[in-house]
Amino acid sequence: MFSKYDVIVVGAGHAGCEAAHAAATMGSKVLLITMNMNTIAQMSCNPAMGGVAKGQIVREIDALGGMSGIISDKSMIQFRMLNKSKGPAMWSPRTQNDRMRFAEEWRLALESNPNIDFWQEMVTGIIVEDHSVKGVTTGMGMEFYAHSVILTNGTFLNGIIHIGEKQFGGGRTGERAAKGITEQLVQLGFESGRMKTGTPPRVDGRSLDYSKMEEQPGDDLPGKFSFSDNTSTLTNQRSCFITYTNPEVHSILETGFDKSPMFNGRIQGLGPRYCPSIEDKINRFAERSRHQIFVEPEGWDTVEIYVNGFSTSLPEGVQMEAMRKIPGFENAKMFRPGYAIEYDYFPPTQLNLTLETKLIENLFLAGQINGTTGYEEAGSQGLIAGINAHLKINKQDPFVLSRSEAYIGVLIDDLINKGTDEPYRMFTSRAEYRILLRQDNADVRLTEKGFDLGLASIERLKKTQEKINDTNRLINDLKQKKVKPQEANTVLGELNTATIKETTSLARLIKRPQINILDLPAINEDLSDYISKYHPDILQQADILLKYEDYISKEQKLADKIKGLENFQIIDEFDFDSIPALSAEAKEKFKKIKPKTIGQASRISGVSPADISVLMVYIGR
């Protein structure tokens, strides 16, 4: 009845959508199976994309040819570049999105791809023969066959929703949990665990008093995620607002602690460290008298408001009573209460860097099933899993990004080599090469790779090459063009930077933190027409590359040096027990993770430099 597919993707969240799109765009025949066709690409938590380090990931997905950036741009209602007061390595784009339009745009994108078929049903197991996946089985007894399967089950695996003392099965509010997959994978030899996440109440924006809150508008000159010309910047934006909890709010919340599933032991899984519930915040940070609450609209035309910062699983009555003591929320009407959800995940040390499982060939895992949190982390894993599923079944070399090439590489390397026992969230501090991995140069780093894979278009590649050429031309010109003291010193004084005593190149002036490329026309009027020829992105790129030239060069040399360790290959059959000088912990970790190179081995948690030195000696022999 049904044809055999190249790739089956189970789950249509952010990971599943990116996986299906990537594999199908590269030429695979894909079946996307979801429990509910109406919740494809649902923004289960806050209606926003990007943020600190996450914005870099979205731009990397876009540069490779994924869709998260384009979908975010088409559905955004506000754009902000975060951390602009810091160096460019920390700048992070973020969009506030229209929840319904985001899901609609994703579905339209997937349905327009002729290589994607859809099926609505719960997948209850996988079909395995000779340690290789052959397809999936569903709750109605259907069997679908494929060369490769990608599991992107999100929070649905044996999901349990908690609200106070109430608990019921579910993967999201109003949606049932997925049964059967965890139990089968455990029988096949996989290790599983439990994690927790939560979401805040949604309220009626018409019932809030915004005059008591701080307005948080979008940028005056809004940007966008996608490097392509398929999207445009906003001309109109919706504001968010900020308000705060207070001691009265905290006191009311504390009255519900005895009924909190987090405190009475009913929730066993660990929650996200960097996005804790409100009860967790007032318990862990008891010395703080207030916490920020971000009031975020859910879209252009809806009155629904997301109460960011008030994630909770306390009884709904306590939630409402406490929330109404927040300034601006005195008359708040709740649409639905916050809740916690507990779900199964599989420690990601059981995966290869391609996100293929080590136990079952052609079975890939992506997203929250691997212990991550966040749409962006999930989407990037889905993209990599979709790419590698297609490459594997077509007998092509795997696609792996290094830590010096992308935040996506940092994310996956951390998961595979260090594992996680709490929901993993990306931060700029996790990347040791973050000066190289800026949001502004994701296209320069990754578009050619995306084109070679068959994901990024030739138009994308040409645009990136033009950007590189224009930037280099501008930098070279600025190094050649010089100004005399009598031309520059008046403006330099106005900019609070030291005057010059001799003829100096414009490039040297730009290295100063007080001076931007856009200041140059004030020094020399002739530069005005010259600079206006370049796109703002080119001007920004040249400014960054000149200002941080020495730092970038130093970091690149370090990355190249470390990358040399990746040239020392470790065969799959290598016997680590045969090396008596290795520590017991190193042997245990090496046998479990099975590193492919000395470089990967060196990044495994618990492995010492001495262990690596010993291993290098034996590899050399």
Side-chain angles (χ1 to χ4, degrees):
M1 178 179 174
F2 297 100
S3 60
K4 184 173 182 178
Y5 290 89
D6 295 313
V7 178
I8 291 175
V9 178
V10 180
H14 298 260
C17 288
E18 286 288 4
H21 170 267
T25 302
M26 293 171 71
S28 284
K29 187 65 178 174
V30 175
L31 177 64
L32 179 59
I33 305 180
T34 175
M35 292 166 63
N36 187 347
M37 288 285 290
N38 294 321
T39 57
I40 289 175
Q42 178 84 359
M43 298 184 107
S44 314
C45 202
N46 62 324
M49 288 291 284
V52 177
K54 293 168 175 278
Q56 282 87 330
I57 289 176
V58 177
R59 288 212 137 187
E60 290 175 353
I61 292 172
D62 180 75
L64 285 167
M67 290 298 294
S68 288
I70 290 174
I71 301 298
S72 299
D73 287 349
K74 288 184 175 182
S75 60
M76 65 179 168
I77 62 176
Q78 187 195 88
F79 180 93
R80 293 182 69 217
M81 184 67 76
L82 306 183
N83 286 337
K84 282 289 284 185
S85 62
K86 301 178 180 179
M90 305 294 284
W91 298 353
S92 303
R94 182 184 189 272
T95 58
Q96 196 71 31
N97 294 86
D98 186 308
R99 184 187 299 278
M100 291 183 286
R101 293 185 184 181
F102 184 93
E104 179 186 33
E105 290 291 350
W106 247 124
R107 180 160 176 172
L108 290 172
L110 293 172
E111 289 183 352
S112 67
N113 192 317
N115 279 338
I116 299 177
D117 288 348
F118 301 86
W119 185 259
Q120 179 175 292
E121 199 183 345
M122 181 192 294
V123 170
T124 55
I126 58 174
I127 301 169
V128 178
E129 295 177 10
D130 299 323
H131 301 287
S132 179
V133 73
K134 301 298 180 184
V136 301
T137 57
T138 71
M140 291 195 301
M142 306 285 292
E143 293 185 345
F144 294 94
Y145 291 88
H147 299 296
S148 184
V149 172
I150 305 173
L151 298 181
T152 69
N153 303 82
T155 60
F156 281 78
L157 293 180
N158 293 320
I160 298 176
I161 292 173
H162 298 265
I163 304 176
E165 295 180 302
K166 303 170 186 175
Q167 65 179 60
F168 44 91
R172 273 190 300 244
T173 182
E175 298 180 66
R176 57 188 175 145
K179 306 285 186 180
I181 291 177
T182 297
E183 294 75 10
Q184 183 188 10
L185 291 182
V186 169
Q187 287 181 349
L188 289 168
F190 287 91
E191 174 191 351
S192 71
R194 295 286 277 176
M195 280 188 178
K196 159 203 171 282
T197 189
T199 192
R202 271 57 159 195
V203 300
D204 188 336
R206 297 170 297 183
S207 65
L208 303 183
D209 184 353
Y210 294 101
S211 68
K212 296 181 179 180
M213 307 178 196
E214 302 169 19
E215 186 175 5
Q216 190 179 45
D219 288 349
D220 292 336
L221 296 172
K224 62 191 186 81
F225 275 120
S226 182
F227 294 99
S228 73
D229 295 324
N230 296 336
T231 61
S232 57
T233 57
L234 289 170
T235 55
N236 181 40
Q237 302 188 68
R238 280 202 68 176
S239 290
C240 297
F241 293 83
I242 298 176
T243 184
Y244 298 86
T245 63
N246 52 57
E248 189 175 10
V249 174
H250 299 177
S251 296
I252 295 171
L253 291 170
E254 287 171 350
T255 65
F257 278 10
D258 61 328
K259 296 180 180 178
S260 167
M262 187 177 73
F263 291 113
N264 62 23
R266 283 208 312 278
I267 291 181
Q268 301 298 318
L270 285 174
R273 179 189 299 265
Y274 303 104
C275 189
S277 64
I278 188 64
E279 54 262 40
D280 200 14
K281 281 191 275 193
I282 64 176
N283 181 57
R284 284 166 50 190
F285 308 108
E287 74 282 359
R288 297 189 184 179
S289 61
R290 68 176 194 171
H291 294 282
Q292 272 188 331
I293 300 295
F294 296 92
V295 181
E296 303 182 344
E298 296 261 0
W300 285 115
D301 305 314
T302 180
V303 298
E304 190 170 0
I305 296 294
Y306 181 88
V307 190
N308 197 342
F310 204 79
S311 175
T312 180
S313 58
L314 291 172
E316 55 268 49
V318 176
Q319 293 184 33
M320 177 63 92
E321 184 183 358
M323 190 168 58
R324 283 186 166 172
K325 298 300 180 182
I326 298 172
F329 279 74
E330 292 84 358
N331 299 304
K333 294 179 181 178
M334 186 185 289
F335 280 171
R336 58 184 185 272
Y339 61 88
I341 181 166
E342 196 177 8
Y343 56 93
D344 292 336
Y345 85 105
F346 291 84
T349 51
Q350 301 171 100
L351 305 174
N352 294 310
L353 289 168
T354 59
L355 298 183
E356 182 183 21
T357 66
K358 295 172 182 175
L359 281 176
I360 305 297
E361 189 176 11
N362 292 322
L363 176 66
F364 294 77
L365 308 185
Q368 284 178 286
I369 193 173
N370 290 337
T372 60
T373 180
Y375 309 144
E376 304 81 5
E377 290 89 342
S380 66
Q381 292 173 71
L383 177 69
I384 298 301
I387 289 170
N388 280 305
H390 173 86
L391 294 174
K392 178 74 184 290
I393 61 180
N394 285 283
K395 296 180 171 56
Q396 294 177 269
D397 291 338
F399 180 73
V400 175
L401 291 167
S402 73
R403 297 181 70 91
S404 61
E405 289 176 318
Y407 271 90
I408 298 174
V410 175
L411 166 68
I412 295 175
D413 191 75
D414 276 355
L415 292 175
I416 275 58
N417 293 317
K418 299 176 182 176
T420 186
D421 56 6
E422 62 183 41
Y424 178 102
R425 178 178 179 174
M426 180 53 71
F427 286 101
T428 51
S429 57
R430 295 192 190 273
E432 60 271 44
Y433 305 114
R434 57 183 173 272
I435 297 177
L436 302 179
L437 308 182
R438 306 182 313 278
Q439 57 83 30
D440 61 273
N441 72 346
D443 54 341
V444 175
R445 290 184 277 120
L446 300 173
T447 301
E448 186 173 354
K449 295 179 184 293
F451 174 76
D452 290 341
L453 288 166
L455 274 175
S457 66
I458 184 67
E459 290 77 20
R460 284 280 198 110
L461 182 62
K462 288 179 179 178
K463 185 176 181 182
T464 302
Q465 290 170 338
E466 288 175 5
K467 176 179 177 178
I468 294 170
N469 293 336
D470 287 348
T471 302
N472 290 337
R473 186 184 308 113
L474 176 57
I475 289 173
N476 290 332
D477 286 349
L478 293 172
K479 287 181 177 180
Q480 297 299 321
K481 292 180 184 293
K482 295 179 169 55
V483 289
K484 298 175 181 178
Q486 57 267 35
E487 294 177 287
N489 282 346
T490 300
V491 175
L492 295 180
E494 292 171 353
L495 294 172
N496 296 314
T497 184
T499 56
I500 56 176
K501 297 180 180 179
E502 57 186 26
T503 300
T504 303
S505 71
L506 294 175
R508 191 161 184 175
L509 290 180
I510 289 170
K511 285 181 178 290
R512 299 183 180 190
Q514 303 90 344
I515 299 180
N516 185 284
I517 280 184
L518 297 178
D519 295 321
L520 296 182
I523 295 175
N524 186 329
E525 291 182 3
D526 294 340
L527 294 172
S528 181
D529 290 340
Y530 175 75
I531 286 177
S532 65
K533 296 177 182 177
Y534 288 97
H535 190 278
D537 290 349
I538 305 298
L539 298 177
Q540 182 189 75
Q541 189 85 168
D543 192 80
I544 291 171
L545 293 177
L546 284 170
K547 270 187 172 61
Y548 298 91
E549 185 175 23
D550 295 338
Y551 296 98
I552 292 170
S553 176
K554 183 178 179 180
E555 201 160 273
Q556 187 62 60
K557 287 177 182 176
L558 178 60
D560 292 341
K561 183 178 180 181
I562 298 298
K563 195 177 288 186
L565 294 176
E566 306 298 336
N567 295 327
F568 291 89
Q569 302 290 318
I570 303 175
I571 60 172
D572 291 337
E573 301 79 19
F574 192 88
D575 183 8
F576 295 104
D577 286 324
S578 67
I579 309 177
L582 279 179
S583 68
E585 183 176 5
K587 289 180 184 178
E588 179 186 339
K589 296 287 179 66
F590 290 157
K591 287 189 289 184
K592 180 179 181 180
I593 295 175
K594 298 179 180 177
K596 302 292 186 184
T597 67
I598 292 289
Q600 184 185 353
S602 70
R603 296 188 296 274
I604 296 174
S605 178
V607 173
S608 70
D611 292 321
I612 297 301
S613 296
V614 170
L615 188 58
M616 287 185 71
V617 170
Y618 275 78
I619 293 292
R621 290 177 182 175

